């Protein structure tokens, strides 16, 4: 009997305990679910607010008319781009697009063309896919003063420099590349290194480096930090001045020194910064006055809308991006595919948005004869009348009316002539 009572109580206590734990679990689960939903709603609201802010920013003219002012100018010089032009006794001015396109042979020089002839940009591309190299050659590569392709691929369509040595690291490839360029190019000022899936806008880079002295030491890009070492990531591209390149050549002037300078692949950007640090050359701040980035190792849509998590771009940035991601004078973006390279090129260099009335077409197209002589030509072609100086307007009407009493007859005749010509 005692055993039976003990057994009954045990079953009751066990059942009560299970029920209590189950109820507690359901209560906790409900709380977690509600919290998660609230957090998701908060996150969604935050994303929606951010997206709305971006849409408002990129669909309005707010601040788009203000020229970018880069932090690097404040760091090394008090010059801005406009002051730099003024010191060169140059002045920017608007011009009539009709006169530029349809006017006399002598035309004003565009700002982009002047910059290309005075700020030399050498582009170095590391090739893995021939299609991407070909797309670069056909698009933004034409806007570099000189361009080199380096890699182990070979193609009749693209001239790729292949080094006839065994490469032990990507740093060695980079080191051999800048030695090759140093020996081959006598007009070096600024040198940008990129991967073949990168889009470069050389005009914006010239705008950035124009006020800077290329004989001094500059190292530009998007800076992150790893193991205490700040460096410019290769995915976003990086730029060095001739002054910096000269110091690198002095330290790595042969293949043996290049080989021993780094031993791992895909770490050439880190090794470059490490070697430059020994020369007291460090990455500069390339953000604009609104703290927006200019060198981007990700596609534009990822940066704007967060379609893909951009990882170290945000978390390890030495110069963090604030508010909007991208400067209106950005220099690089990741593209990834050749067709996107061509699309970007079309949008950047060929697509026009007409924001003012009568911007195009306000000048008449050239004609071979004056308006007052058109009727004389018509009389000659239709009636073989060559002496028309004394023909009055009434006589002109009678001549036409005698042959075509109704306008439809003239139309039918012309249609018949067109049909005959087509059938022949």
């Amino acid at each position: 009997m005692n055993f039976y009572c003990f057994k009954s109580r045990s079953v009751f206590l066990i059942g009560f305990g299970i029920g209590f734990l189950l109820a507690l679990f359901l209560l906790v689960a409900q709380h977690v679910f509600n919290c998660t939903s609230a957090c998701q709603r908060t996150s969604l609201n935050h994303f929606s607010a951010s997206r709305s802010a971006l849409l408002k920013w990129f669909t309005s003219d707010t601040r788009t008319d203000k020229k970018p002012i880069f932090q690097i100018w404040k760091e090394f010089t008090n010059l801005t781009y406009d002051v730099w032009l003024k010191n060169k006794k140059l002045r920017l001015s608007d011009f009539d697009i009709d006169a530029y396109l349809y006017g006399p042979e002598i035309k004003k020089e565009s700002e982009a063309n002047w910059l290309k002839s005075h700020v030399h940009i050498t582009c170095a591309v590391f090739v893995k896919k021939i299609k991407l190299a070909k797309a670069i050659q056909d698009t933004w590569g034409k806007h570099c003063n000189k361009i080199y392709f380096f890699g182990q691929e070979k193609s009749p369509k693209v001239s790729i420099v292949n080094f006839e040595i065994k490469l032990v690291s990507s740093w060695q490839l980079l080191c051999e590349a800048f030695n090759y360029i140093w020996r081959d190019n006598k007009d070096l000022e600024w040198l940008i290194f990129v991967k073949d899936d990168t889009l470069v806008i050389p005009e914006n880079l010239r705008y950035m480096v124009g006020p800077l002295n290329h004989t001094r030491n500059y190292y530009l890009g998007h800076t992150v930090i790893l193991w205490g070492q700040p460096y410019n990531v290769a995915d976003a591209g990086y730029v060095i001045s001739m002054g910096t390149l000269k110091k690198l050549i002095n330290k790595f002037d042969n293949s043996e020194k290049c080989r021993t300078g780094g031993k791992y692949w895909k770490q050439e950007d880190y090794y470059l910064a490490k070697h430059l640090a020994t020369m007291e050359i460090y990455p500069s701040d390339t953000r604009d006055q609104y703290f927006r980035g200019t060198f981007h190792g990700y596609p534009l849509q990822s940066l704007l809308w967060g379609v893909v998590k951009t990882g170290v771009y945000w978390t390890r940035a030495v110069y963090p991006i604030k508010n909007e991601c991208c400067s209106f004078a950005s220099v690089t973006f990741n593209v990834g595919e050749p067709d996107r390279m061509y699309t970007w090129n079309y949008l950047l260099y060929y697509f026009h948005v007409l924001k003012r009335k009568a911007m195009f077409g306000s000048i008449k197209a050239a004609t071979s004869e004056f308006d007052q002589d058109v009727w004389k030509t018509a009389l000659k072609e239709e009636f073989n009348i060559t002496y028309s100086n004394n023909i009055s307007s009434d006589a002109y009407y009678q001549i036409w009316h005698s042959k075509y009493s109704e306008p439809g007859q003239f139309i039918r005749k012309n249609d018949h002539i067109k049909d005959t010509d087509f059938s022949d």
Side-chain angles (χ1 to χ4, degrees):
M1 185 69 180
N2 291 335
F3 176 75
Y4 177 78
C5 292
F6 175 76
K7 185 177 179 181
S8 299
R9 291 176 181 176
S10 298
V11 171
F12 172 78
L13 290 172
I14 293 172
F16 178 80
I18 293 174
F20 176 78
L21 291 174
L22 181 61
L24 182 63
F25 173 77
L26 292 174
L27 181 64
V28 171
Q30 183 180 10
H31 176 74
V32 171
F33 176 78
N34 290 338
C35 179
T36 302
S37 300
C39 291
Q40 288 177 342
R41 287 194 299 271
T42 303
S43 177
L44 181 61
N45 291 338
H46 176 71
F47 175 77
S48 300
S50 299
R51 180 165 183 157
S52 298
L54 280 171
L55 284 171
K56 184 177 180 181
W57 176 272
F58 285 102
T59 56
S60 70
D61 290 331
T62 305
R63 288 193 271 185
T64 58
D65 57 339
K66 292 187 178 181
K67 292 188 176 182
I69 299 174
F70 297 109
Q71 303 297 322
I72 187 176
W73 295 347
K74 302 176 183 179
E75 182 180 353
F76 288 95
T77 177
N78 291 324
L79 290 179
T80 63
Y81 179 78
D82 288 340
V83 173
W84 173 66
L85 287 181
K86 186 177 180 180
N87 290 344
K88 290 184 172 293
K89 302 187 184 304
L90 294 171
R91 182 174 57 87
L92 295 175
S93 62
D94 295 332
F95 56 83
D96 189 318
I97 193 66
D98 279 323
Y100 182 76
L101 294 175
Y102 312 119
E105 291 282 336
I106 301 176
K107 299 178 179 179
K108 293 182 179 180
E109 186 175 20
S110 70
E111 183 179 2
N113 289 340
W114 184 89
L115 282 173
K116 186 175 183 180
S117 62
H118 288 79
V119 181
H120 289 252
I121 301 296
T122 300
C123 304
V125 182
F126 295 106
V127 179
K128 286 187 176 180
K129 296 181 180 179
I130 298 298
K131 287 184 178 180
L132 282 168
K134 182 64 169 60
I136 290 174
Q137 182 176 261
D138 293 342
T139 57
W140 64 260
K142 296 179 180 179
H143 300 270
C144 303
N145 292 91
K146 197 170 183 64
I147 187 168
Y148 297 87
F149 295 93
F150 297 98
Q152 298 176 338
E153 306 291 334
K154 293 184 179 180
S155 170
K157 297 180 180 179
V158 183
S159 178
I160 302 176
V161 179
N162 305 118
F163 297 112
E164 302 300 326
I165 57 175
K166 183 180 179 181
L167 299 172
V168 300
S169 68
S170 54
W171 157 257
Q172 186 182 3
L173 174 59
L174 172 62
C175 187
E176 296 288 352
F178 62 62
N179 269 280
Y180 181 92
I181 295 172
W182 177 264
R183 294 189 298 267
D184 183 71
N185 191 346
K186 304 303 180 184
D187 297 321
L188 280 171
E189 290 185 0
W190 298 94
L191 178 57
I192 181 169
F193 294 95
V194 295
K195 296 181 178 181
D196 60 0
D197 60 353
T198 304
L199 173 90
V200 179
I201 308 172
E203 291 81 0
N204 287 354
L205 179 56
R206 291 189 181 99
Y207 176 86
M208 176 185 288
V209 301
L212 306 177
N213 187 344
H214 64 269
T215 63
R216 296 182 179 177
N217 304 324
Y218 293 101
Y219 173 39
L220 315 177
H222 177 75
T223 311
V224 299
I225 191 164
L226 177 66
W227 301 324
Q229 176 64 58
Y231 70 98
N232 291 322
V233 293
D235 288 340
Y238 44 85
V239 177
I240 59 175
S241 61
M242 190 188 71
T244 298
L245 180 60
K246 189 174 181 179
K247 288 192 173 183
L248 284 169
I249 296 298
N250 289 337
K251 186 171 183 178
F252 300 98
D253 57 353
N254 59 59
S255 295
E256 178 60 23
K257 292 180 181 178
C258 287
R259 187 182 66 82
T260 58
K263 59 180 180 179
Y264 297 111
W265 286 92
K266 298 183 179 180
Q267 296 292 331
E268 74 283 355
D269 46 5
Y270 175 80
Y271 284 118
L272 174 62
K274 190 174 180 179
H275 293 309
L276 289 177
T278 63
M279 309 171 195
E280 298 184 349
I281 301 174
Y282 303 99
S284 298
D285 188 351
T286 57
R287 297 174 299 174
D288 66 12
Q289 70 265 44
Y290 305 116
F291 301 103
R292 300 175 300 192
T294 51
F295 290 81
H296 310 288
Y298 293 89
L300 179 61
Q301 63 269 25
S302 297
L303 297 169
L304 292 180
W305 312 122
V307 177
V308 179
K309 291 184 178 180
T310 51
V312 297
Y313 183 87
W314 304 108
T315 58
R316 292 197 281 116
V318 174
Y319 306 108
I321 308 304
K322 298 181 180 179
N323 301 319
E324 298 77 25
C325 74
C326 312
S327 172
F328 292 148
S330 289
V331 176
T332 63
F333 287 100
N334 178 274
V335 177
E337 299 297 333
D339 57 343
R340 294 181 182 178
M341 196 82 72
Y342 288 106
T343 302
W344 267 91
N345 187 71
Y346 171 74
L347 292 174
L348 286 171
Y349 296 105
Y350 298 99
F351 190 80
H352 293 280
V353 177
L354 308 182
K355 298 179 67 176
R356 297 186 318 183
K357 292 183 178 180
M359 192 175 212
F360 290 94
S362 60
I363 294 179
K364 289 184 178 180
T367 56
S368 58
E369 55 191 348
F370 296 104
D371 291 344
Q372 61 266 31
D373 294 329
V374 172
W375 68 275
K376 296 180 181 179
T377 302
L379 288 177
K380 181 179 179 181
E381 292 178 353
E382 191 69 19
F383 303 101
N384 198 26
I385 298 175
T386 57
Y387 300 99
S388 54
N389 291 333
N390 297 325
I391 296 178
S392 64
S393 58
D394 290 337
Y396 181 73
Y397 171 78
Q398 291 299 329
I399 291 172
W400 281 94
H401 189 68
S402 64
K403 189 171 184 179
Y404 303 109
S405 58
E406 298 294 336
Q409 290 181 286
F410 182 69
I411 295 173
R412 285 194 296 272
K413 178 191 173 186
N414 286 340
D415 289 342
H416 174 69
I417 292 173
K418 289 179 182 178
D419 293 339
T420 304
D421 291 343
F422 179 75
S423 62
D424 290 339

